[in-house]
Amino acid sequence: MSKRVLTTESGAPVADNQNSASAGIGGPLLLQDQHLLEKLARFNRERIPERVVHARGSGAYGYFEVTDDVTGFTHADFLGSVGKRTQLFLRFSTVADSLGGADAVRDPRGFAVKFYTEQGNYDLVGNNTPVFFIKDPIKFPDFIHSQKRDPFTGRQEPDNVWDFWAHSPEATHQVTWLMGDRGIPASYRHMNGYGSHTYQWTNAEGETFFVKYHFKTNQGVRSLSSDQAAELAGKNPNSHQTDLLQAIERGVNPSWTLHVQIMPAADAAEYRFNPFDLTKVWPHRDYPLQRVGRLVLDRNPDNVFAEVEQAAFSPNNFVPGIGPSPDKMLQGRLFAYADAHRYRLGVNHTLLAVNAPKATTAQNYGRDGLMASNSQGRGAKNYEPNSYDGPTETGRALSAPLSVTGYTGTHEAPQHTKDDDFYQAGELYRLMSSEERSRLVANIAGGLSQVSLDDVIEKNLAHFHAADPEYGRRVEEAVHALRED
């Protein structure tokens, strides 16, 4: 059996892939060595700008299967019948560190799902926590700057991290989550995922509901202590990537059960918490979890760069029956995610295999740009309307319109009866066992005690006192003890 021939990118056969062309034996290299120049030039361009956040990621393919009837709440086709399966791609990630960071670190985890539905791709972009640090996207660049490497020292600085939180009391709830036992998942398989934001569902009759997504791991929640994580990160920085890859290769396919909380749209205005505030949860006693289906991962990517690094998720990729809510952070991300992909991957990133629709065909009038393909057919028009049988609009909105009133301006979110920044953080603290509380206090004190400004420390302590008197007292005592050592 003859061997396949190595070629250049233009298809010409390569005579020698071990030695560069030179001016005589031992002489300088020749500019005419097209194979050498092509290899070096391509190598210099193999990488693209990494994501500003969620740079360090892993992913896998799988499917979602509907197990329960939710057609009374949404007319989304992929949720339309029990037993229906939809192919998907799921990307996990850490948030703050760079592409070369370790997996086993204390950080929220991204949980982004691309459903390849028959009505187009639906992207659900969330985290492994049901809440976030801020409630308005105008603060997001400042927040991320405070958590990333300092431009002078080149490392994450406790002064920056805790100074931002000192001036952002709404972060207290998420800080309590992050510093608690679930702040470092043992693996991607052993953590829950959440849509985090509030979304809108619309049924066939036009009735609207607001929903929150909860993906509950069927492997059970497992987490690492700070000491365990530090040891694992040092021994195997790729721990979570390796675990996911090997589990699927062994046929141990991880799965999650999707539940949703469903709020009739009419409830939103008078609910005790602002239902569109990303720093708040909806207590389950108010809106119980309702099961929807099962998510299973059963196939690893063939190429991590092509399929994980270039996977592009955007929360503005909706399908009929699902739409946005007035959640301010969601509204900001509707723009920011898609804009990031156009910058990193180019305007034609949706043509990449991992991002392209699989159960339907994209038909639009987008043309040209970097890496454009001639996929529209000879003579296809690039404008609409036209007289040449081009694709046309349906006239049917994907979701119901949102009611708006008042004047334009830079408004704070409307206040509901329980809308302080500390109540739910205190509720979370009081749900913890005594051992969980002790570990939470130790984790917070370990970072806060390193802050150089007393005023920043006192501001943060005031947040924990406001959440729960015992919580504040124990953190204060632990911080002072560490600073006296």
Side-chain angles (χ1 to χ4, degrees):
M1 182 177 178
S2 60
K3 293 183 179 180
R4 292 185 298 156
V5 173
L6 176 67
T7 73
T8 64
E9 292 185 30
S10 61
V14 173
D16 190 339
N17 194 42
Q18 312 303 317
N19 302 287
S20 302
S22 61
I25 298 175
L29 301 186
L30 299 177
L31 188 63
Q32 72 183 41
D33 189 345
Q34 185 263 351
H35 182 49
L36 169 65
L37 300 188
E38 181 178 84
K39 284 185 72 175
L40 293 180
R42 182 174 184 83
F43 180 75
N44 285 343
R45 293 162 175 80
E46 279 185 354
R47 291 298 170 259
I48 59 177
E50 69 175 43
R51 291 167 169 86
V52 177
V53 290
H54 296 278
R56 172 72 181 167
S58 302
Y61 294 94
Y63 63 87
F64 178 78
E65 181 177 0
V66 179
T67 58
D68 295 77
D69 183 9
V70 291
T71 55
F73 306 106
T74 177
H75 64 89
D77 180 72
F78 81 103
L79 300 175
S81 59
V82 172
K84 187 176 181 66
R85 285 191 177 186
T86 299
Q87 298 303 304
L88 60 84
F89 183 79
L90 196 160
R91 185 178 187 270
F92 306 97
S93 55
T94 54
V95 175
D97 212 344
S98 61
L99 186 59
D103 289 339
V105 293
R106 188 171 297 280
D107 199 13
R109 300 300 192 276
F111 192 99
V113 188
K114 184 181 294 292
F115 298 90
Y116 300 110
T117 89
E118 295 171 12
Q119 296 178 306
N121 290 352
Y122 171 45
D123 290 352
L124 182 58
V125 181
N127 285 327
N128 72 325
T129 62
V131 293
F132 196 61
F133 298 92
I134 55 176
K135 61 182 74 174
D136 194 302
I138 203 166
K139 299 180 70 171
F140 189 74
D142 299 295
F143 165 62
I144 294 301
H145 287 166
S146 74
Q147 310 297 302
K148 299 280 280 186
R149 297 175 186 268
D150 182 89
F152 173 65
T153 66
R155 65 184 186 186
Q156 190 181 56
E157 291 291 347
D159 276 352
N160 301 352
V161 170
W162 289 96
D163 186 35
F164 184 88
W165 290 341
H167 292 88
S168 305
E170 72 265 29
T172 308
H173 192 186
Q174 173 72 320
V175 169
T176 304
W177 266 90
L178 179 62
M179 297 299 174
D181 279 1
R182 296 193 181 190
I184 314 178
S187 79
Y188 290 131
R189 296 182 296 129
H190 294 93
M191 69 180 195
N192 294 335
Y194 301 88
S196 302
H197 296 289
T198 299
Y199 293 91
Q200 183 204 83
W201 276 6
T202 308
N203 66 18
E205 288 71 41
E207 297 174 301
T208 60
F209 305 86
F210 293 117
V211 300
K212 283 186 175 289
Y213 294 87
H214 301 250
F215 292 89
K216 299 292 188 178
T217 176
N218 295 325
Q219 291 68 238
V221 172
R222 287 177 47 198
S223 304
L224 301 173
S225 69
S226 295
D227 290 342
Q228 290 172 325
E231 181 179 358
L232 181 59
K235 288 182 176 179
N236 181 12
N238 305 305
S239 56
H240 290 34
Q241 161 69 18
T242 302
D243 174 85
L244 180 66
L245 174 75
Q246 293 181 346
I248 295 175
E249 289 298 294
R250 296 195 312 268
V252 181
N253 297 330
S255 66
W256 288 258
T257 299
L258 172 61
H259 299 81
V260 292
Q261 290 178 283
I262 301 176
M263 174 188 292
D267 290 6
E270 301 302 324
Y271 187 48
R272 56 196 174 118
F273 306 108
N274 180 350
F276 313 118
D277 181 347
L278 187 55
T279 68
K280 305 288 195 303
V281 297
W282 303 351
H284 293 180
R285 63 180 177 273
D286 295 344
Y287 297 97
L289 295 179
Q290 301 188 43
R291 192 177 66 176
V292 180
R294 185 170 66 112
L295 185 157
V296 179
L297 299 180
D298 59 6
R299 181 167 67 89
N300 284 309
D302 294 326
N303 183 295
V304 172
F305 176 80
E307 298 166 88
V308 178
E309 182 66 10
Q310 293 193 125
F313 301 83
S314 179
N316 62 7
N317 287 338
F318 293 112
V319 293
I322 303 177
S325 78
D327 179 336
K328 282 190 171 186
M329 284 296 295
L330 172 60
Q331 293 283 324
R333 284 172 169 158
L334 296 180
F335 162 76
Y337 277 62
D339 185 60
H341 304 320
R342 293 184 186 105
Y343 162 66
R344 294 182 62 246
L345 303 170
V347 71
N348 287 305
H349 67 274
T350 55
L351 301 179
L352 296 169
V354 69
N355 300 321
K358 298 189 184 304
T360 186
T361 301
Q363 302 182 93
N364 54 61
Y365 295 93
R367 298 290 188 277
D368 306 334
L370 190 67
M371 299 299 291
S373 64
N374 186 26
S375 60
Q376 301 293 338
R378 183 176 183 181
K381 304 304 178 184
N382 64 342
Y383 59 89
E384 196 277 336
N386 64 61
S387 304
Y388 298 88
D389 198 29
T392 60
E393 64 195 24
T394 67
R396 298 187 299 272
L398 299 187
S399 57
L402 297 172
S403 175
V404 295
T405 59
Y407 297 93
T408 60
T410 54
H411 305 292
E412 291 187 6
Q415 290 293 300
H416 292 234
T417 56
K418 287 287 187 180
D419 269 347
D420 65 79
D421 293 321
F422 310 110
Y423 175 82
Q424 290 199 354
E427 289 281 272
L428 178 58
Y429 176 80
R430 290 184 286 274
L431 281 173
M432 296 179 181
S433 67
S434 59
E435 293 81 8
E436 289 172 325
R437 294 182 189 184
S438 295
R439 290 190 289 269
L440 168 67
V441 168
N443 290 334
I444 292 174
L448 188 54
S449 63
Q450 299 178 52
V451 172
S452 59
L453 294 179
D454 289 341
D455 180 60
V456 171
I457 294 175
E458 293 305 317
K459 281 187 171 73
N460 279 286
L461 291 176
H463 298 167
F464 301 124
H465 279 289
D468 183 275
E470 178 195 291
Y471 187 11
R473 175 182 58 78
R474 293 184 64 179
V475 172
E476 184 171 4
E477 291 173 352
V479 169
H480 288 167
L482 288 171
R483 288 175 70 81
E484 290 171 359
D485 287 346

